[in-house]
Amino acid sequence: MGLETKRLILREWKDSDLEPFAALNSDPEVMEFFPKTMKLDETAAMIDRIKARHAEDGFCLWATEEKETGDFIGFVGLGRPLFEAKFMPCVEIGWRLARSYWGKGYAPEAAIEVLRDGFENYGLDEIVSFTAALNSKSIRVMEKISMCRNPDDDFDHPNVPDGHHLKPHVLYRITQRDWRAKS
């Protein structure tokens, strides 16, 4: 199971992914738009949650590797956020890549394939993505994959402490109909 693009393999998680994923999650630059970095045990728990959601939903945040090298580079995929917000319930597309793989177009390349999978194979009507309002890099990816923002949908993330500079979030969306029109 999994997905494939020209340069990437999106696959189920392996035990060998833990250490590189923990390194990625402990990198302050990678985690700049999250309230804190993650420790090894937090990363292991996250992988367990991803695997459990995969078993339940069929889709997930796929472990992502570079075809040419076989290197684990992060994740790209779909998930169901669990906090309360006016746009819930929803399916979210998300990504997190190791810093050394930034700027290569990997996030939009994989995200386009994940959108295709979500709409064609899972029959989703809409997929959203959100990030801290300051995260211009992820916003750029959302726009590259044809997602649209309505400022009325922006929100304060309930899991970020009040007064924290990362609390304001932007929400982007794409419907299956819009995706089909742009594909």
Side-chain angles (χ1 to χ4, degrees), residues 3 59 62 77-78 80 90-93 110-129 142 145-148 172-183:
L3 303 171
F59 52 78
W62 297 106
L78 298 174
R80 293 186 192 274
C90 69
V91 174
E92 172 199 13
I93 186 169
I112 288 167
E113 178 61 13
V114 167
L115 289 175
R116 183 205 59 74
D117 185 53
F119 291 132
E120 289 185 358
N121 296 329
Y122 293 96
L124 299 173
D125 292 325
E126 178 181 73
I127 297 173
V128 305
S129 192
M142 293 172 199
I145 63 173
S146 299
M147 298 187 93
C148 296
Y172 279 70
R173 302 173 183 261
I174 188 166
T175 64
Q176 184 180 116
R177 188 178 73 199
D178 288 344
W179 174 81
R180 288 191 185 285
K182 294 174 183 181
S183 294

Side-chain angles (χ1 to χ4, degrees), residues 4-181:
E4 196 171 311
T5 71
K6 181 179 178 183
R7 301 179 296 163
L8 302 170
I9 296 172
L10 287 72
R11 57 165 173 76
E12 293 184 14
W13 290 79
K14 301 177 189 174
D15 291 343
S16 61
D17 297 329
L18 177 59
E19 286 189 28
F21 191 39
L24 180 160
N25 286 334
S26 67
D27 182 332
E29 274 190 79
V30 172
M31 301 299 284
E32 177 183 6
F33 299 105
F34 293 86
K36 66 181 188 77
T37 58
M38 296 172 67
K39 297 178 182 166
L40 180 67
D41 62 326
E42 293 169 315
T43 296
M46 182 178 180
I47 292 172
D48 289 344
R49 286 190 305 274
I50 291 169
K51 288 178 178 179
R53 294 306 305 226
H54 183 207
E56 189 173 318
D57 294 328
F59 52 78
C60 69
L61 300 172
W62 297 106
T64 302
E65 68 180 49
E66 193 177 46
K67 271 187 189 177
E68 185 176 313
T69 63
D71 291 344
F72 171 89
I73 68 168
F75 71 72
V76 183
L78 298 174
R80 293 186 192 274
L82 299 177
F83 59 86
E84 289 189 30
K86 60 186 174 186
F87 56 90
M88 298 298 232
C90 69
V91 174
E92 172 199 13
I93 186 169
W95 46 84
R96 186 178 306 162
L97 302 180
R99 191 171 7 118
S100 58
Y101 297 96
W102 292 359
K104 298 177 185 247
Y106 286 159
E109 178 180 325
I112 288 167
E113 178 61 13
V114 167
L115 289 175
R116 183 205 59 74
D117 185 53
F119 291 132
E120 289 185 358
N121 296 329
Y122 293 96
L124 299 173
D125 292 325
E126 178 181 73
I127 297 173
V128 305
S129 192
F130 50 84
T131 189
L134 300 172
N135 188 349
S136 61
K137 291 177 185 134
S138 279
I139 291 169
R140 203 164 38 252
V141 173
M142 293 172 199
E143 292 171 350
K144 283 182 181 180
I145 63 173
S146 299
M147 298 187 93
C148 296
R149 175 180 171 225
N150 177 342
D152 292 340
D153 291 334
D154 293 351
F155 66 103
D156 286 339
H157 199 297
N159 294 343
V160 178
D162 288 342
H164 196 286
H165 70 284
L166 297 177
K167 190 156 184 86
H169 271 57
V170 294
L171 178 76
Y172 279 70
R173 302 173 183 261
I174 188 166
T175 64
Q176 184 180 116
R177 188 178 73 199
D178 288 344
W179 174 81
R180 288 191 185 285

